[in-house]
Amino acid sequence: MANYTKVRDLLRRVVVFGLVLASACSLQDSSVSRQDETATSFDNPGTLAVDDALPVSDYLLDIGTTVAFLDSCIANSGLVGPCHCASDLLVYDVDIADVKGLEDRMSAFNEFPPELAGLLIQCRGADRPPEWSPSTKELYLSACSYGSDRLDRLCRCSASRAADVIPEARLSEFLSATDLRPNMVDLINTCL
């Protein structure tokens, strides 16, 4: 019983810290541009700075990282809404350097970052995004099957997982990218 109480107290602290951090981050002055900031919100003195060039997009978080986040986050259908909500909160304020810093911390300390826990708590119970429009689904099916009738059944099957992990507004980015995980083949493999 004592272990249960310790675990409950630890989880309560993590939740409170995540909520405090999320609140503090939302109160930051939005007039400061990302180029003027010298430190990122997920900066950790124990990690190395990443000097990779960021892709030009309306979103700071590239499509590969966004799809990988959603794919790893959505373990079951009940998580589609909360994971999309968390992703929506990340794509405008977090870039690949932030994500690499989080990954470094997860690897080094074997802990789930409280920033991500706070996002998922904030998004608990969020509704699923709307289903893809028929034109978006047809665009996906056309790109997936390459006009082959043999792939049509598998592509139609994979469309539901694709709709879970690819934001509809970013499908064209996904289709034009070449180095994604999961990629089209990974999505088709969910149906084999």
Side-chain angles (χ1 to χ4, degrees), residues 2-82:
N3 286 339
Y4 172 77
T5 305
K6 288 179 183 177
V7 170
R8 186 186 71 215
D9 290 341
L10 178 62
L11 286 173
R12 192 175 289 154
R13 285 187 204 135
V14 167
V15 169
V16 169
F17 179 76
L19 292 173
V20 169
L21 184 61
S23 298
C25 290
S26 66
L27 295 175
Q28 289 181 345
D29 183 7
S30 61
S31 65
V32 178
S33 71
R34 289 290 290 178
Q35 290 84 12
D36 294 339
E37 292 179 7
T38 58
T40 62
S41 60
F42 296 118
D43 195 17
N44 180 3
T47 60
L48 299 174
V50 178
D51 292 329
D52 295 340
L54 298 174
V56 176
S57 173
D58 292 337
Y59 310 96
L60 284 178
L61 198 58
D62 65 301
I63 187 64
T65 307
T66 301
V67 170
F69 172 80
L70 288 169
D71 185 58
S72 63
C73 182
I74 301 171
N76 62 57
S77 63
L79 292 173
V80 174

Side-chain angles (χ1 to χ4, degrees), residues 10-191:
L10 178 62
L11 286 173
R12 192 175 289 154
R13 285 187 204 135
V14 167
V15 169
V16 169
F17 179 76
L19 292 173
V20 169
L21 184 61
S23 298
C25 290
S26 66
L27 295 175
Q28 289 181 345
D29 183 7
S30 61
S31 65
V32 178
S33 71
R34 289 290 290 178
Q35 290 84 12
D36 294 339
E37 292 179 7
T38 58
T40 62
S41 60
F42 296 118
D43 195 17
N44 180 3
T47 60
L48 299 174
V50 178
D51 292 329
D52 295 340
L54 298 174
V56 176
S57 173
D58 292 337
Y59 310 96
L60 284 178
L61 198 58
D62 65 301
I63 187 64
T65 307
T66 301
V67 170
F69 172 80
L70 288 169
D71 185 58
S72 63
C73 182
I74 301 171
N76 62 57
S77 63
L79 292 173
V80 174
C83 291
H84 270 269
C85 170
S87 174
D88 289 346
L89 295 174
L90 290 172
V91 296
Y92 296 107
D93 298 324
V94 176
D95 62 26
I96 190 66
D98 296 331
V99 172
K100 287 182 180 182
L102 284 173
E103 289 174 346
D104 287 347
R105 286 172 46 198
M106 290 172 74
S107 298
F109 302 112
N110 197 25
E111 66 181 23
F112 190 75
E115 297 91 346
L116 293 180
L119 288 177
L120 292 175
I121 289 168
Q122 183 178 347
C123 292
R124 182 179 34 206
D127 293 331
R128 291 178 77 97
E131 288 188 27
W132 279 358
S133 68
S135 61
T136 300
K137 188 171 181 180
E138 285 304 314
L139 178 64
Y140 172 81
L141 293 173
S142 174
C144 177
S145 66
Y146 293 109
S148 168
D149 292 335
R150 293 178 14 187
L151 289 174
D152 186 62
R153 183 184 60 79
L154 290 172
C155 290
R156 287 188 183 283
C157 171
S158 71
S160 64
R161 181 61 179 175
D164 283 351
V165 300
I166 305 168
E168 181 174 11
R170 300 187 73 183
L171 179 61
S172 59
E173 276 182 85
F174 175 84
L175 295 176
S176 64
T178 58
D179 58 345
L180 300 177
R181 283 314 244 200
N183 57 25
M184 192 74 72
V185 173
D186 297 320
L187 294 172
I188 290 173
N189 282 339
T190 62
C191 296

